[in-house]
Amino acid sequence: MTDALPKPLRTPSVEKDLFLRSILRELVGMLEQTVGEREAEAYINHVGISMGRILNEDYRASFASEKLDARQVAATLVDLKTRIDGGFSIEKFDSDKIILVNTACPFGDKVVGRPSLCRMTANVFGHITAENLSYARVRIDKAIARGDPGCRVVIKLSKPDKPTGSGESEFFAGTT
């Protein structure tokens, strides 16, 4: 004898992507509360570098190239974020830098108040850029996670004469 199971009065807003983003938000929030935002960023740095390695190899294979040139790197960064529902586009691209702006975070509204998640973007972008162009210095000027209406990521392609500033991360080929 099998009775029909009861159904909720309304359809819950549970689906896989939202569920996974919610889990990530809670995990990062717990990490930030437990060890602090700066230390949480260090953990996320490791995940970002690992993801950068995986994605870099995948995009190199997709371009059928051992190393990507600067145009391919810029295209890779935009394509990658587009594929995961980000709204990244190129604001400026020249021999010295790639500036990307973003209107939609891949983490959706779950990123708000979790700025350590921006380290994922910084490290993936930095790793891919450095592994292909030898060097990258990444700075996130604006971030949805910090309450800005969009993001702005500056990726410098040549090593500066002076030390990096606060909020900048350097990446070198073969060391990340």
mmCIF file with all atom_site columns, all heavy atoms in Angstrom, residues 102-126:
data_model
loop_
_atom_site.group_PDB
_atom_site.id
_atom_site.type_symbol
_atom_site.label_atom_id
_atom_site.label_alt_id
_atom_site.label_comp_id
_atom_site.label_asym_id
_atom_site.label_entity_id
_atom_site.label_seq_id
_atom_site.pdbx_PDB_ins_code
_atom_site.Cartn_x
_atom_site.Cartn_y
_atom_site.Cartn_z
_atom_site.occupancy
_atom_site.B_iso_or_equiv
_atom_site.pdbx_formal_charge
_atom_site.auth_seq_id
_atom_site.auth_comp_id
_atom_site.auth_asym_id
_atom_site.auth_atom_id
_atom_site.pdbx_PDB_model_num
ATOM 1   N N   . ASN A 1 102 ? 32.663 43.804 -14.798 1.00 0.00 ? 102 ASN A N   1
ATOM 2   C CA  . ASN A 1 102 ? 31.708 42.735 -14.598 1.00 0.00 ? 102 ASN A CA  1
ATOM 3   C C   . ASN A 1 102 ? 30.393 43.289 -14.064 1.00 0.00 ? 102 ASN A C   1
ATOM 4   O O   . ASN A 1 102 ? 30.390 44.104 -13.154 1.00 0.00 ? 102 ASN A O   1
ATOM 5   C CB  . ASN A 1 102 ? 32.285 41.717 -13.609 1.00 0.00 ? 102 ASN A CB  1
ATOM 6   C CG  . ASN A 1 102 ? 31.346 40.586 -13.317 1.00 0.00 ? 102 ASN A CG  1
ATOM 7   O OD1 . ASN A 1 102 ? 30.609 40.134 -14.173 1.00 0.00 ? 102 ASN A OD1 1
ATOM 8   N ND2 . ASN A 1 102 ? 31.364 40.121 -12.083 1.00 0.00 ? 102 ASN A ND2 1
ATOM 9   N N   . THR A 1 103 ? 29.304 42.805 -14.621 1.00 0.00 ? 103 THR A N   1
ATOM 10  C CA  . THR A 1 103 ? 27.985 43.231 -14.173 1.00 0.00 ? 103 THR A CA  1
ATOM 11  C C   . THR A 1 103 ? 27.229 42.138 -13.429 1.00 0.00 ? 103 THR A C   1
ATOM 12  O O   . THR A 1 103 ? 26.202 42.415 -12.819 1.00 0.00 ? 103 THR A O   1
ATOM 13  C CB  . THR A 1 103 ? 27.131 43.661 -15.382 1.00 0.00 ? 103 THR A CB  1
ATOM 14  O OG1 . THR A 1 103 ? 27.054 42.557 -16.310 1.00 0.00 ? 103 THR A OG1 1
ATOM 15  C CG2 . THR A 1 103 ? 27.737 44.876 -16.077 1.00 0.00 ? 103 THR A CG2 1
ATOM 16  N N   . ALA A 1 104 ? 27.738 40.901 -13.485 1.00 0.00 ? 104 ALA A N   1
ATOM 17  C CA  . ALA A 1 104 ? 27.056 39.775 -12.835 1.00 0.00 ? 104 ALA A CA  1
ATOM 18  C C   . ALA A 1 104 ? 28.082 38.789 -12.304 1.00 0.00 ? 104 ALA A C   1
ATOM 19  O O   . ALA A 1 104 ? 28.878 38.257 -13.063 1.00 0.00 ? 104 ALA A O   1
ATOM 20  C CB  . ALA A 1 104 ? 26.128 39.078 -13.821 1.00 0.00 ? 104 ALA A CB  1
ATOM 21  N N   . CYS A 1 105 ? 28.059 38.557 -11.014 1.00 0.00 ? 105 CYS A N   1
ATOM 22  C CA  . CYS A 1 105 ? 29.000 37.624 -10.398 1.00 0.00 ? 105 CYS A CA  1
ATOM 23  C C   . CYS A 1 105 ? 28.525 36.184 -10.620 1.00 0.00 ? 105 CYS A C   1
ATOM 24  O O   . CYS A 1 105 ? 27.330 35.899 -10.477 1.00 0.00 ? 105 CYS A O   1
ATOM 25  C CB  . CYS A 1 105 ? 29.110 37.897 -8.897  1.00 0.00 ? 105 CYS A CB  1
ATOM 26  S SG  . CYS A 1 105 ? 30.319 36.820 -8.094  1.00 0.00 ? 105 CYS A SG  1
ATOM 27  N N   . PRO A 1 106 ? 29.447 35.290 -10.953 1.00 0.00 ? 106 PRO A N   1
ATOM 28  C CA  . PRO A 1 106 ? 29.067 33.875 -11.090 1.00 0.00 ? 106 PRO A CA  1
ATOM 29  C C   . PRO A 1 106 ? 28.464 33.298 -9.804  1.00 0.00 ? 106 PRO A C   1
ATOM 30  O O   . PRO A 1 106 ? 27.696 32.343 -9.854  1.00 0.00 ? 106 PRO A O   1
ATOM 31  C CB  . PRO A 1 106 ? 30.383 33.176 -11.428 1.00 0.00 ? 106 PRO A CB  1
ATOM 32  C CG  . PRO A 1 106 ? 31.236 34.240 -12.016 1.00 0.00 ? 106 PRO A CG  1
ATOM 33  C CD  . PRO A 1 106 ? 30.843 35.511 -11.310 1.00 0.00 ? 106 PRO A CD  1
ATOM 34  N N   . PHE A 1 107 ? 28.796 33.880 -8.660  1.00 0.00 ? 107 PHE A N   1
ATOM 35  C CA  . PHE A 1 107 ? 28.247 33.419 -7.391  1.00 0.00 ? 107 PHE A CA  1
ATOM 36  C C   . PHE A 1 107 ? 26.882 34.050 -7.100  1.00 0.00 ? 107 PHE A C   1
ATOM 37  O O   . PHE A 1 107 ? 26.271 33.776 -6.072  1.00 0.00 ? 107 PHE A O   1
ATOM 38  C CB  . PHE A 1 107 ? 29.207 33.723 -6.239  1.00 0.00 ? 107 PHE A CB  1
ATOM 39  C CG  . PHE A 1 107 ? 30.521 33.004 -6.354  1.00 0.00 ? 107 PHE A CG  1
ATOM 40  C CD1 . PHE A 1 107 ? 31.698 33.717 -6.518  1.00 0.00 ? 107 PHE A CD1 1
ATOM 41  C CD2 . PHE A 1 107 ? 30.600 31.618 -6.302  1.00 0.00 ? 107 PHE A CD2 1
ATOM 42  C CE1 . PHE A 1 107 ? 32.919 33.058 -6.621  1.00 0.00 ? 107 PHE A CE1 1
ATOM 43  C CE2 . PHE A 1 107 ? 31.806 30.954 -6.406  1.00 0.00 ? 107 PHE A CE2 1
ATOM 44  C CZ  . PHE A 1 107 ? 32.973 31.680 -6.575  1.00 0.00 ? 107 PHE A CZ  1
ATOM 45  N N   . GLY A 1 108 ? 26.416 34.918 -8.005  1.00 0.00 ? 108 GLY A N   1
ATOM 46  C CA  . GLY A 1 108 ? 25.126 35.569 -7.826  1.00 0.00 ? 108 GLY A CA  1
ATOM 47  C C   . GLY A 1 108 ? 25.107 36.439 -6.586  1.00 0.00 ? 108 GLY A C   1
ATOM 48  O O   . GLY A 1 108 ? 26.142 36.958 -6.146  1.00 0.00 ? 108 GLY A O   1
ATOM 49  N N   . ASP A 1 109 ? 23.941 36.595 -5.990  1.00 0.00 ? 109 ASP A N   1
ATOM 50  C CA  . ASP A 1 109 ? 23.822 37.437 -4.800  1.00 0.00 ? 109 ASP A CA  1
ATOM 51  C C   . ASP A 1 109 ? 24.472 36.796 -3.580  1.00 0.00 ? 109 ASP A C   1
ATOM 52  O O   . ASP A 1 109 ? 24.648 37.444 -2.551  1.00 0.00 ? 109 ASP A O   1
ATOM 53  C CB  . ASP A 1 109 ? 22.360 37.772 -4.516  1.00 0.00 ? 109 ASP A CB  1
ATOM 54  C CG  . ASP A 1 109 ? 21.509 36.553 -4.193  1.00 0.00 ? 109 ASP A CG  1
ATOM 55  O OD1 . ASP A 1 109 ? 21.959 35.404 -4.399  1.00 0.00 ? 109 ASP A OD1 1
ATOM 56  O OD2 . ASP A 1 109 ? 20.367 36.750 -3.737  1.00 0.00 ? 109 ASP A OD2 1
ATOM 57  N N   . LYS A 1 110 ? 24.892 35.550 -3.696  1.00 0.00 ? 110 LYS A N   1
ATOM 58  C CA  . LYS A 1 110 ? 25.533 34.852 -2.573  1.00 0.00 ? 110 LYS A CA  1
ATOM 59  C C   . LYS A 1 110 ? 26.932 35.399 -2.295  1.00 0.00 ? 110 LYS A C   1
ATOM 60  O O   . LYS A 1 110 ? 27.509 35.128 -1.257  1.00 0.00 ? 110 LYS A O   1
ATOM 61  C CB  . LYS A 1 110 ? 25.614 33.342 -2.840  1.00 0.00 ? 110 LYS A CB  1
ATOM 62  C CG  . LYS A 1 110 ? 24.270 32.688 -3.082  1.00 0.00 ? 110 LYS A CG  1
ATOM 63  C CD  . LYS A 1 110 ? 23.333 32.880 -1.915  1.00 0.00 ? 110 LYS A CD  1
ATOM 64  C CE  . LYS A 1 110 ? 21.995 32.231 -2.164  1.00 0.00 ? 110 LYS A CE  1
ATOM 65  N NZ  . LYS A 1 110 ? 20.983 32.683 -1.241  1.00 0.00 ? 110 LYS A NZ  1
ATOM 66  N N   . VAL A 1 111 ? 27.479 36.203 -3.201  1.00 0.00 ? 111 VAL A N   1
ATOM 67  C CA  . VAL A 1 111 ? 28.810 36.770 -3.011  1.00 0.00 ? 111 VAL A CA  1
ATOM 68  C C   . VAL A 1 111 ? 28.783 38.013 -2.119  1.00 0.00 ? 111 VAL A C   1
ATOM 69  O O   . VAL A 1 111 ? 29.788 38.351 -1.497  1.00 0.00 ? 111 VAL A O   1
ATOM 70  C CB  . VAL A 1 111 ? 29.474 37.101 -4.364  1.00 0.00 ? 111 VAL A CB  1
ATOM 71  C CG1 . VAL A 1 111 ? 28.901 38.380 -4.965  1.00 0.00 ? 111 VAL A CG1 1
ATOM 72  C CG2 . VAL A 1 111 ? 30.976 37.203 -4.229  1.00 0.00 ? 111 VAL A CG2 1
ATOM 73  N N   . VAL A 1 112 ? 27.636 38.681 -2.043  1.00 0.00 ? 112 VAL A N   1
ATOM 74  C CA  . VAL A 1 112 ? 27.536 39.930 -1.285  1.00 0.00 ? 112 VAL A CA  1
ATOM 75  C C   . VAL A 1 112 ? 27.906 39.668 0.172   1.00 0.00 ? 112 VAL A C   1
ATOM 76  O O   . VAL A 1 112 ? 27.370 38.765 0.820   1.00 0.00 ? 112 VAL A O   1
ATOM 77  C CB  . VAL A 1 112 ? 26.129 40.549 -1.402  1.00 0.00 ? 112 VAL A CB  1
ATOM 78  C CG1 . VAL A 1 112 ? 26.003 41.799 -0.541  1.00 0.00 ? 112 VAL A CG1 1
ATOM 79  C CG2 . VAL A 1 112 ? 25.807 40.867 -2.855  1.00 0.00 ? 112 VAL A CG2 1
ATOM 80  N N   . GLY A 1 113 ? 28.852 40.449 0.664   1.00 0.00 ? 113 GLY A N   1
ATOM 81  C CA  . GLY A 1 113 ? 29.324 40.286 2.031   1.00 0.00 ? 113 GLY A CA  1
ATOM 82  C C   . GLY A 1 113 ? 30.383 39.210 2.192   1.00 0.00 ? 113 GLY A C   1
ATOM 83  O O   . GLY A 1 113 ? 30.809 38.927 3.314   1.00 0.00 ? 113 GLY A O   1
ATOM 84  N N   . ARG A 1 114 ? 30.837 38.608 1.099   1.00 0.00 ? 114 ARG A N   1
ATOM 85  C CA  . ARG A 1 114 ? 31.867 37.567 1.143   1.00 0.00 ? 114 ARG A CA  1
ATOM 86  C C   . ARG A 1 114 ? 33.024 37.962 0.218   1.00 0.00 ? 114 ARG A C   1
ATOM 87  O O   . ARG A 1 114 ? 33.323 37.289 -0.765  1.00 0.00 ? 114 ARG A O   1
ATOM 88  C CB  . ARG A 1 114 ? 31.308 36.209 0.710   1.00 0.00 ? 114 ARG A CB  1
ATOM 89  C CG  . ARG A 1 114 ? 30.186 35.672 1.560   1.00 0.00 ? 114 ARG A CG  1
ATOM 90  C CD  . ARG A 1 114 ? 30.684 35.260 2.959   1.00 0.00 ? 114 ARG A CD  1
ATOM 91  N NE  . ARG A 1 114 ? 29.652 34.564 3.708   1.00 0.00 ? 114 ARG A NE  1
ATOM 92  C CZ  . ARG A 1 114 ? 28.895 35.125 4.623   1.00 0.00 ? 114 ARG A CZ  1
ATOM 93  N NH1 . ARG A 1 114 ? 29.037 36.423 4.879   1.00 0.00 ? 114 ARG A NH1 1
ATOM 94  N NH2 . ARG A 1 114 ? 28.006 34.430 5.282   1.00 0.00 ? 114 ARG A NH2 1
ATOM 95  N N   . PRO A 1 115 ? 33.715 39.059 0.522   1.00 0.00 ? 115 PRO A N   1
ATOM 96  C CA  . PRO A 1 115 ? 34.772 39.539 -0.373  1.00 0.00 ? 115 PRO A CA  1
ATOM 97  C C   . PRO A 1 115 ? 35.943 38.570 -0.535  1.00 0.00 ? 115 PRO A C   1
ATOM 98  O O   . PRO A 1 115 ? 36.671 38.652 -1.516  1.00 0.00 ? 115 PRO A O   1
ATOM 99  C CB  . PRO A 1 115 ? 35.221 40.857 0.270   1.00 0.00 ? 115 PRO A CB  1
ATOM 100 C CG  . PRO A 1 115 ? 34.780 40.776 1.683   1.00 0.00 ? 115 PRO A CG  1
ATOM 101 C CD  . PRO A 1 115 ? 33.546 39.927 1.693   1.00 0.00 ? 115 PRO A CD  1
ATOM 102 N N   . SER A 1 116 ? 36.103 37.641 0.384   1.00 0.00 ? 116 SER A N   1
ATOM 103 C CA  . SER A 1 116 ? 37.198 36.681 0.218   1.00 0.00 ? 116 SER A CA  1
ATOM 104 C C   . SER A 1 116 ? 36.978 35.809 -1.021  1.00 0.00 ? 116 SER A C   1
ATOM 105 O O   . SER A 1 116 ? 37.937 35.278 -1.589  1.00 0.00 ? 116 SER A O   1
ATOM 106 C CB  . SER A 1 116 ? 37.382 35.823 1.470   1.00 0.00 ? 116 SER A CB  1
ATOM 107 O OG  . SER A 1 116 ? 36.219 35.110 1.776   1.00 0.00 ? 116 SER A OG  1
ATOM 108 N N   . LEU A 1 117 ? 35.730 35.681 -1.494  1.00 0.00 ? 117 LEU A N   1
ATOM 109 C CA  . LEU A 1 117 ? 35.477 34.911 -2.716  1.00 0.00 ? 117 LEU A CA  1
ATOM 110 C C   . LEU A 1 117 ? 36.110 35.569 -3.940  1.00 0.00 ? 117 LEU A C   1
ATOM 111 O O   . LEU A 1 117 ? 36.370 34.903 -4.938  1.00 0.00 ? 117 LEU A O   1
ATOM 112 C CB  . LEU A 1 117 ? 33.978 34.726 -2.938  1.00 0.00 ? 117 LEU A CB  1
ATOM 113 C CG  . LEU A 1 117 ? 33.323 33.622 -2.128  1.00 0.00 ? 117 LEU A CG  1
ATOM 114 C CD1 . LEU A 1 117 ? 31.800 33.653 -2.288  1.00 0.00 ? 117 LEU A CD1 1
ATOM 115 C CD2 . LEU A 1 117 ? 33.864 32.264 -2.514  1.00 0.00 ? 117 LEU A CD2 1
ATOM 116 N N   . CYS A 1 118 ? 36.382 36.865 -3.863  1.00 0.00 ? 118 CYS A N   1
ATOM 117 C CA  . CYS A 1 118 ? 37.039 37.557 -4.980  1.00 0.00 ? 118 CYS A CA  1
ATOM 118 C C   . CYS A 1 118 ? 38.448 37.024 -5.209  1.00 0.00 ? 118 CYS A C   1
ATOM 119 O O   . CYS A 1 118 ? 39.001 37.168 -6.300  1.00 0.00 ? 118 CYS A O   1
ATOM 120 C CB  . CYS A 1 118 ? 37.088 39.061 -4.728  1.00 0.00 ? 118 CYS A CB  1
ATOM 121 S SG  . CYS A 1 118 ? 35.444 39.812 -4.646  1.00 0.00 ? 118 CYS A SG  1
ATOM 122 N N   . ARG A 1 119 ? 39.031 36.410 -4.200  1.00 0.00 ? 119 ARG A N   1
ATOM 123 C CA  . ARG A 1 119 ? 40.363 35.812 -4.356  1.00 0.00 ? 119 ARG A CA  1
ATOM 124 C C   . ARG A 1 119 ? 40.333 34.687 -5.381  1.00 0.00 ? 119 ARG A C   1
ATOM 125 O O   . ARG A 1 119 ? 41.327 34.410 -6.031  1.00 0.00 ? 119 ARG A O   1
ATOM 126 C CB  . ARG A 1 119 ? 40.894 35.276 -3.022  1.00 0.00 ? 119 ARG A CB  1
ATOM 127 C CG  . ARG A 1 119 ? 41.130 36.339 -1.972  1.00 0.00 ? 119 ARG A CG  1
ATOM 128 C CD  . ARG A 1 119 ? 42.025 37.487 -2.404  1.00 0.00 ? 119 ARG A CD  1
ATOM 129 N NE  . ARG A 1 119 ? 43.236 37.034 -3.038  1.00 0.00 ? 119 ARG A NE  1
ATOM 130 C CZ  . ARG A 1 119 ? 43.947 37.754 -3.903  1.00 0.00 ? 119 ARG A CZ  1
ATOM 131 N NH1 . ARG A 1 119 ? 43.580 38.970 -4.224  1.00 0.00 ? 119 ARG A NH1 1
ATOM 132 N NH2 . ARG A 1 119 ? 45.040 37.269 -4.444  1.00 0.00 ? 119 ARG A NH2 1
ATOM 133 N N   . MET A 1 120 ? 39.185 34.034 -5.524  1.00 0.00 ? 120 MET A N   1
ATOM 134 C CA  . MET A 1 120 ? 39.054 32.981 -6.534  1.00 0.00 ? 120 MET A CA  1
ATOM 135 C C   . MET A 1 120 ? 39.285 33.577 -7.914  1.00 0.00 ? 120 MET A C   1
ATOM 136 O O   . MET A 1 120 ? 40.090 33.073 -8.695  1.00 0.00 ? 120 MET A O   1
ATOM 137 C CB  . MET A 1 120 ? 37.660 32.341 -6.452  1.00 0.00 ? 120 MET A CB  1
ATOM 138 C CG  . MET A 1 120 ? 37.452 31.204 -7.415  1.00 0.00 ? 120 MET A CG  1
ATOM 139 S SD  . MET A 1 120 ? 38.379 29.738 -7.008  1.00 0.00 ? 120 MET A SD  1
ATOM 140 C CE  . MET A 1 120 ? 37.527 29.244 -5.530  1.00 0.00 ? 120 MET A CE  1
ATOM 141 N N   . THR A 1 121 ? 38.608 34.668 -8.207  1.00 0.00 ? 121 THR A N   1
ATOM 142 C CA  . THR A 1 121 ? 38.766 35.338 -9.498  1.00 0.00 ? 121 THR A CA  1
ATOM 143 C C   . THR A 1 121 ? 40.194 35.833 -9.678  1.00 0.00 ? 121 THR A C   1
ATOM 144 O O   . THR A 1 121 ? 40.807 35.607 -10.721 1.00 0.00 ? 121 THR A O   1
ATOM 145 C CB  . THR A 1 121 ? 37.774 36.515 -9.619  1.00 0.00 ? 121 THR A CB  1
ATOM 146 O OG1 . THR A 1 121 ? 36.447 35.979 -9.607  1.00 0.00 ? 121 THR A OG1 1
ATOM 147 C CG2 . THR A 1 121 ? 38.000 37.321 -10.886 1.00 0.00 ? 121 THR A CG2 1
ATOM 148 N N   . ALA A 1 122 ? 40.730 36.513 -8.671  1.00 0.00 ? 122 ALA A N   1
ATOM 149 C CA  . ALA A 1 122 ? 42.082 37.060 -8.772  1.00 0.00 ? 122 ALA A CA  1
ATOM 150 C C   . ALA A 1 122 ? 43.106 35.965 -9.048  1.00 0.00 ? 122 ALA A C   1
ATOM 151 O O   . ALA A 1 122 ? 43.997 36.131 -9.888  1.00 0.00 ? 122 ALA A O   1
ATOM 152 C CB  . ALA A 1 122 ? 42.444 37.817 -7.498  1.00 0.00 ? 122 ALA A CB  1
ATOM 153 N N   . ASN A 1 123 ? 42.983 34.839 -8.364  1.00 0.00 ? 123 ASN A N   1
ATOM 154 C CA  . ASN A 1 123 ? 43.969 33.773 -8.530  1.00 0.00 ? 123 ASN A CA  1
ATOM 155 C C   . ASN A 1 123 ? 43.804 33.002 -9.830  1.00 0.00 ? 123 ASN A C   1
ATOM 156 O O   . ASN A 1 123 ? 44.793 32.629 -10.451 1.00 0.00 ? 123 ASN A O   1
ATOM 157 C CB  . ASN A 1 123 ? 43.941 32.836 -7.322  1.00 0.00 ? 123 ASN A CB  1
ATOM 158 C CG  . ASN A 1 123 ? 44.701 33.436 -6.177  1.00 0.00 ? 123 ASN A CG  1
ATOM 159 O OD1 . ASN A 1 123 ? 45.911 33.394 -6.141  1.00 0.00 ? 123 ASN A OD1 1
ATOM 160 N ND2 . ASN A 1 123 ? 43.989 34.047 -5.250  1.00 0.00 ? 123 ASN A ND2 1
ATOM 161 N N   . VAL A 1 124 ? 42.583 32.757 -10.247 1.00 0.00 ? 124 VAL A N   1
ATOM 162 C CA  . VAL A 1 124 ? 42.378 32.090 -11.531 1.00 0.00 ? 124 VAL A CA  1
ATOM 163 C C   . VAL A 1 124 ? 42.908 32.986 -12.648 1.00 0.00 ? 124 VAL A C   1
ATOM 164 O O   . VAL A 1 124 ? 43.683 32.543 -13.506 1.00 0.00 ? 124 VAL A O   1
ATOM 165 C CB  . VAL A 1 124 ? 40.890 31.738 -11.751 1.00 0.00 ? 124 VAL A CB  1
ATOM 166 C CG1 . VAL A 1 124 ? 40.631 31.306 -13.192 1.00 0.00 ? 124 VAL A CG1 1
ATOM 167 C CG2 . VAL A 1 124 ? 40.452 30.638 -10.795 1.00 0.00 ? 124 VAL A CG2 1
ATOM 168 N N   . PHE A 1 125 ? 42.520 34.274 -12.634 1.00 0.00 ? 125 PHE A N   1
ATOM 169 C CA  . PHE A 1 125 ? 43.002 35.206 -13.659 1.00 0.00 ? 125 PHE A CA  1
ATOM 170 C C   . PHE A 1 125 ? 44.522 35.342 -13.610 1.00 0.00 ? 125 PHE A C   1
ATOM 171 O O   . PHE A 1 125 ? 45.188 35.328 -14.643 1.00 0.00 ? 125 PHE A O   1
ATOM 172 C CB  . PHE A 1 125 ? 42.364 36.583 -13.467 1.00 0.00 ? 125 PHE A CB  1
ATOM 173 C CG  . PHE A 1 125 ? 40.938 36.696 -13.940 1.00 0.00 ? 125 PHE A CG  1
ATOM 174 C CD1 . PHE A 1 125 ? 40.202 35.610 -14.392 1.00 0.00 ? 125 PHE A CD1 1
ATOM 175 C CD2 . PHE A 1 125 ? 40.313 37.932 -13.929 1.00 0.00 ? 125 PHE A CD2 1
ATOM 176 C CE1 . PHE A 1 125 ? 38.890 35.742 -14.823 1.00 0.00 ? 125 PHE A CE1 1
ATOM 177 C CE2 . PHE A 1 125 ? 39.003 38.079 -14.364 1.00 0.00 ? 125 PHE A CE2 1
ATOM 178 C CZ  . PHE A 1 125 ? 38.288 36.990 -14.813 1.00 0.00 ? 125 PHE A CZ  1
ATOM 179 N N   . GLY A 1 126 ? 45.069 35.501 -12.426 1.00 0.00 ? 126 GLY A N   1
ATOM 180 C CA  . GLY A 1 126 ? 46.516 35.671 -12.281 1.00 0.00 ? 126 GLY A CA  1
ATOM 181 C C   . GLY A 1 126 ? 47.286 34.465 -12.743 1.00 0.00 ? 126 GLY A C   1
ATOM 182 O O   . GLY A 1 126 ? 48.304 34.593 -13.443 1.00 0.00 ? 126 GLY A O   1
#
